[in-house]
Amino acid sequence: MDVINELADVLIERKGADPSTSYVASLYEKGRAGILEKIEEESWELVEAATTGEAHAVIHETADLWFHTLVLLSHLNVHPVEVFSELERRLGVSGHEEKADRT
């Protein structure tokens, strides 16, 4: 969890960075649509890696997907701890039940 919190702090700091020198700032500059496009790309790359079953590739692509998802959360001013709180809330609850309870 420490690495997630550290990364969240870095992502917040990069909001004010120069997009020509910061990859994260360049993503923020593209806005939500650009960030979502990158998440879509990384999701597809994870699916391809999982299809081959190569563990190292799956780990690499999962890290890319998580990173870009964290960028989206930061863009929306949502801290990752909020996501972990939601996951914690769901522990021990049937997935079917949890989904049915959503309104």
Side-chain angles (χ1 to χ4, degrees), residues 17-85:
D18 180 353
S20 69
T21 60
S22 167
Y23 174 70
V24 172
S26 73
L27 288 172
Y28 289 140
E29 185 176 56
K30 293 176 183 177
R32 185 174 21 184
I35 297 167
L36 290 173
E37 184 178 301
K38 191 64 181 171
I39 289 173
E40 183 177 42
E41 174 189 325
E42 298 300 343
S43 296
W44 179 245
E45 289 175 2
L46 175 57
V47 168
E48 288 179 325
T51 300
T52 68
E54 185 181 330
H56 179 73
V58 169
I59 292 166
H60 179 85
E61 296 304 339
T62 299
D64 285 351
L65 178 57
W66 287 9
F67 174 82
H68 289 90
T69 301
L70 290 170
V71 172
L72 175 66
L73 291 175
S74 180
H75 177 74
L76 297 174
N77 298 312
V78 174
H79 195 279
V81 74
E82 296 177 63
V83 177
F84 284 103
S85 294

